[in-house]
Amino acid sequence: MNASQASAAIFGFPRLTHYQRERLTFLALIAPNFILFGVFTFWPLIYNFYLSFNKWNMITPTPTWIGLDNYATMIQDPIFWKVLGNTLYLASGSIAIRLVLALALALVLNQKLAGRDVYRAIIFSPTFTTGAAVALVWTWILHKNLGLLRLPLDLLGIASPNWLTDVNWTIPALIIVTIWRGLGYDMVIFLAGLQSIPAELYEAARVDGAGRWSLFRHITLPMLSPISFFLIVTSIIGALQVFDIVAVMTGGGPMNSSKVYVYYVYENAFKFFKVGYAAALSMALFVITLGITIFQTRLSRRWVHY
Amino acid sequence: MITSRRITHPKVVAQRIVSRILSHATLIFAAGIIGLPFFWMISTSFKSDVEVGLFPPVWIPSALLWENYVRVWTSAPFDMFYLNSIITTLSGLVLEVIIGAMSAYAFARIEFPHRDALFLVVLATMMIPGEMALVPNYLTLRNLEWINTYQGIVIPYVSSAFGCFLLRQAFFSIPQDIFDAAKMDGAGHLRVLMSIALPMTRPVVATFALFLFIAKWNAYLWPLIVTNTWNMRTLPIGLVLVREAEGTLGWQHVMAASLLVLLPVLIVFFLAQRQIIEGIARGAVKG
């Protein structure tokens, strides 16, 4: 007796045809995922949109409709622009260094070497570490007087700045941590890219008498351009979403100098209880992320060389 | 690559050796710099108060003070933090794998009208940043009275577009003959999923589970919002709160606590590093 016969026998359901049974099975299998998407992904989008036109502190029973006020506030809010600037500074400050170093390391690793896996694993290892814990480790490394980073700075004769309390140095401190955490990831992606370049391309160019630099300049770099582009976009989106490192190392301070986007959303919602404003900020985050993604797909079709 | 050509000219051999040494030197330097924060954390965690305050720093503490760990462990309910992290990480991981595999199987193996359009709905969820759901999800959980509960930490994050996508691809790669044979034997979809589809794609499922373990163990923002008592905090949050609450903790204690939090992910990573890194590389190049 199969399942449908059993259910027919127990519940008195009519016997189902093969197709009906298939369709019901399909629906049953996708139901958990789709119900959860509905409740925790799509509903938040709709509800956020609604909340962004309201003023609410989550304590009074209902939100108050205020129209576009939250959006007007946002455009005039100097902290909002400061936060966007910080996010861009964090992304652009780390990405150039990350790309150059990661590509260099990937090129070195892309040869048969003893211990290749060990090097790769160690360099990649910071990527998946717990943000809160490594944030504390870096707070200690960046300690003005006793931190490890003072060693190379002393050697160069530079006085160690107050990394986490000087408005000019908080973002550079976060950039250092971001490079440390992201370099191995970028390297692994570049390495995969290098290995996917067909060897015949190099052979053909070599037959034509191309030197090593020329091979790199005219084959490797163009072939890696989609990957570089992907990594740049990933790092911008990553900077938009960073939270734990900032929350633990600086709390967005001093004077908003290290406040990043998600931290500002969190602060408005759960510290200042300005839920409507946090919702408007969330909508802007959604639009920005969507914009970047669309821009990426458009541009990578046109601009990137395969 | 040209491997068949043997180059034996001494000058060429010498060049090769030099290039090899330079490669190793570069990689040792890079791995050393990247690994240094870990070494510094471990080294500090065993130091005495006096040694922590020395500059230039002491690389290897003169005595290993295990009592730093005892001090941290007893300064806050770390056993509860550990338990909470293990419960939420593992239950979330198991649920997400099951939910992802079920929907992936349906999309790969069962005919349904407009199936591909429905699959686009799954992919569309990947365009919505999770951070924008913070406030609505908090309010939903408040209505469900799930604030400060395990299900509150776990459930909003077990739906899986990525898992559905990844496992669907894997299920497509299983030869049709195998499914046909199972069908001839009278196996229903659930049995095919459990005894054919999942076992045959074990490497993909395992890699997916490893990623989930790490991601859920490291989660910070959501558990911070949704928990509000010491006994419900997970490790990353407990760690930060201990430092704020306990003014007398030295850096040796903070580093000991950090290591306690990092240890499980570091162990999982180094045991499965090849699988994890290759999973990342494959996803990026194909995706």
Side-chain angles (χ1 to χ4, degrees):
Chain A
M1 189 157 83
N2 68 30
S4 79
Q5 283 166 327
S7 61
I10 297 166
F11 301 109
F13 286 159
R15 265 205 78 162
L16 300 168
T17 66
H18 173 72
Y19 288 106
Q20 285 170 323
R21 221 170 20 186
E22 287 280 295
R23 287 177 185 191
L24 278 179
T25 315
F26 180 88
L27 288 176
L29 285 176
I30 68 164
N33 224 353
F34 272 69
I35 291 169
L36 289 165
F37 282 143
V39 177
F40 296 111
T41 306
F42 289 116
W43 167 246
L45 186 63
I46 299 163
Y47 195 47
N48 234 320
F49 187 59
Y50 164 74
L51 281 177
S52 71
F53 300 109
N54 286 273
K55 191 181 159 74
W56 197 28
N57 58 8
M58 290 199 278
I59 298 159
T60 57
T62 47
T64 320
W65 185 269
I66 54 167
L68 288 166
D69 277 12
N70 285 321
Y71 291 97
T73 311
M74 192 164 81
I75 289 168
Q76 290 160 8
D77 177 4
I79 302 175
F80 169 71
W81 294 106
K82 173 83 181 146
V83 162
L84 275 184
N86 286 343
T87 307
L88 206 62
Y89 181 12
L90 177 59
S92 56
S94 56
I95 191 62
I97 302 169
R98 272 169 63 171
L99 288 185
V100 172
L101 290 179
L103 180 56
L105 287 173
L107 287 168
V108 178
L109 264 184
N110 193 29
Q111 42 182 345
K112 283 204 182 100
L113 280 177
R116 197 168 160 267
D117 275 12
V118 179
Y119 292 129
R120 193 181 63 170
I122 294 175
I123 296 171
F124 184 83
S125 65
T127 301
F128 284 151
T129 47
T130 316
V134 296
L136 289 175
V137 174
W138 275 95
T139 306
W140 172 222
I141 292 174
L142 295 167
H143 192 285
K144 183 179 164 56
N145 298 319
L146 303 171
L148 201 53
L149 201 64
R150 211 191 119 187
L151 276 178
L153 292 180
D154 277 4
L155 220 59
L156 297 168
I158 303 168
S160 195
N162 284 311
W163 289 104
L164 302 178
T165 50
D166 181 331
V167 289
N168 295 314
W169 287 102
T170 44
I171 295 280
L174 294 172
I175 288 174
I176 294 173
V177 181
T178 311
I179 294 172
W180 177 73
R181 278 190 107 193
L183 185 61
Y185 176 79
D186 298 351
M187 179 193 75
V188 163
I189 305 287
F190 270 135
L191 201 52
L194 285 174
Q195 283 160 359
S196 71
I197 301 175
E200 302 88 66
L201 278 182
Y202 290 108
E203 304 239 357
R206 241 184 246 122
V207 170
D208 291 345
R212 281 177 78 172
W213 170 250
S214 174
L215 291 179
F216 177 73
R217 174 73 190 73
H218 296 291
I219 298 177
T220 312
L221 273 187
M223 290 299 283
L224 289 181
S225 67
I227 287 183
S228 316
F229 187 58
F230 166 80
L231 290 174
I232 291 170
V233 171
T234 317
S235 98
I236 294 171
I237 292 180
L240 278 170
Q241 295 176 341
V242 68
F243 179 81
D244 45 12
I245 301 266
V246 173
V248 175
M249 289 182 72
T250 66
M255 286 160 56
N256 305 316
S257 64
S258 62
K259 198 159 283 172
V260 287
Y261 206 99
V262 173
Y263 193 84
Y264 194 46
V265 175
Y266 161 80
E267 202 175 49
N268 272 291
F270 298 101
K271 280 188 171 170
F272 310 150
F273 300 106
K274 292 185 192 167
V275 169
Y277 191 51
L281 289 170
S282 300
M283 288 313 294
L285 175 68
F286 174 58
V287 172
I288 294 168
T289 318
L290 203 64
I292 293 172
T293 317
I294 291 169
F295 174 75
Q296 178 196 16
T297 34
R298 280 274 171 78
L299 207 63
S300 60
R301 232 179 277 147
R302 201 146 45 98
W303 173 82
V304 162
H305 313 268
Y306 277 97
Chain B
M1 297 292 142
I2 306 164
T3 45
S4 55
R5 193 170 52 183
R6 264 245 165 78
I7 303 163
T8 43
H9 191 283
K11 213 172 145 189
V12 175
V13 173
Q15 257 177 10
R16 279 198 158 182
I17 292 173
V18 170
S19 125
R20 191 137 287 210
I21 290 172
L22 280 178
S23 298
H24 278 289
T26 311
L27 292 169
I28 289 171
F29 180 73
I33 298 275
I34 300 267
L36 203 54
F38 296 125
F39 174 80
W40 173 246
M41 164 180 65
I42 296 168
S43 150
T44 303
S45 74
F46 287 108
K47 285 181 186 173
S48 67
D49 230 12
V50 177
E51 276 178 323
V52 166
L54 292 178
F55 195 89
V58 180
W59 290 103
I60 303 201
S62 52
L64 298 182
L65 298 184
W66 288 97
E67 61 243 47
N68 292 341
Y69 285 85
V70 178
R71 165 89 166 76
V72 152
W73 191 268
T74 51
S75 69
F78 256 92
D79 45 353
M80 280 307 290
F81 300 160
Y82 247 95
L83 189 69
N84 294 339
S85 272
I86 291 170
I87 289 174
T88 53
T89 300
L90 292 185
S91 61
L93 182 163
V94 169
L95 281 173
E96 189 164 342
V97 170
I98 293 173
I99 289 169
M102 279 167 63
S103 59
Y105 179 86
F107 280 113
R109 302 292 327 165
I110 307 178
E111 293 300 327
F112 195 81
H114 308 296
R115 191 176 78 175
D116 292 341
L118 272 174
F119 189 67
L120 283 181
V121 175
V122 176
L123 295 185
T125 63
M126 292 210 246
M127 307 280 274
I128 303 172
E131 288 77 11
M132 78 167 303
L134 293 176
V135 172
N137 281 351
Y138 179 82
L139 294 168
T140 303
L141 291 207
R142 200 170 72 171
N143 289 335
L144 291 169
E145 296 186 2
W146 279 7
I147 301 292
N148 212 32
T149 62
Y150 289 135
Q151 63 269 35
I153 301 172
V154 172
I155 300 296
Y157 286 89
V158 293
S159 65
S160 197
F162 176 65
C164 181
F165 175 78
L166 189 78
L167 296 174
R168 174 176 165 268
Q169 293 298 108
F171 294 159
F172 273 142
S173 70
I174 301 172
Q176 181 65 35
D177 308 357
I178 295 175
F179 290 111
D180 291 342
K183 210 171 176 186
M184 294 280 273
D185 292 343
H189 284 302
L190 211 57
R191 249 199 68 206
V192 174
L193 171 61
M194 295 307 290
S195 54
I196 295 175
L198 281 177
M200 285 197 69
T201 52
R202 200 180 298 156
V204 181
V205 178
T207 309
F208 179 45
L210 286 169
F211 283 123
L212 291 181
F213 176 84
I214 293 168
K216 287 175 193 297
W217 188 270
N218 293 346
Y220 187 77
L221 178 52
W222 182 248
L224 174 70
I225 291 170
V226 87
T227 60
N228 52 34
T229 56
W230 279 101
N231 65 340
M232 281 309 293
R233 299 294 195 183
T234 55
L235 267 175
I237 294 148
L239 166 70
V240 175
L241 290 178
V242 166
R243 179 165 170 256
E244 283 166 8
E246 273 264 353
T248 57
L249 290 182
W251 278 109
Q252 67 275 34
H253 304 117
V254 176
M255 289 302 103
S258 301
L259 184 62
L260 287 174
V261 176
L262 277 178
L263 209 54
V265 268
L266 286 180
I267 290 173
V268 166
F269 172 71
F270 279 104
L271 285 180
Q273 53 88 9
R274 186 181 301 223
Q275 212 170 355
I276 290 173
I277 293 175
E278 272 154 26
I280 289 275
R282 227 181 297 121
V285 171
K286 280 192 193 151

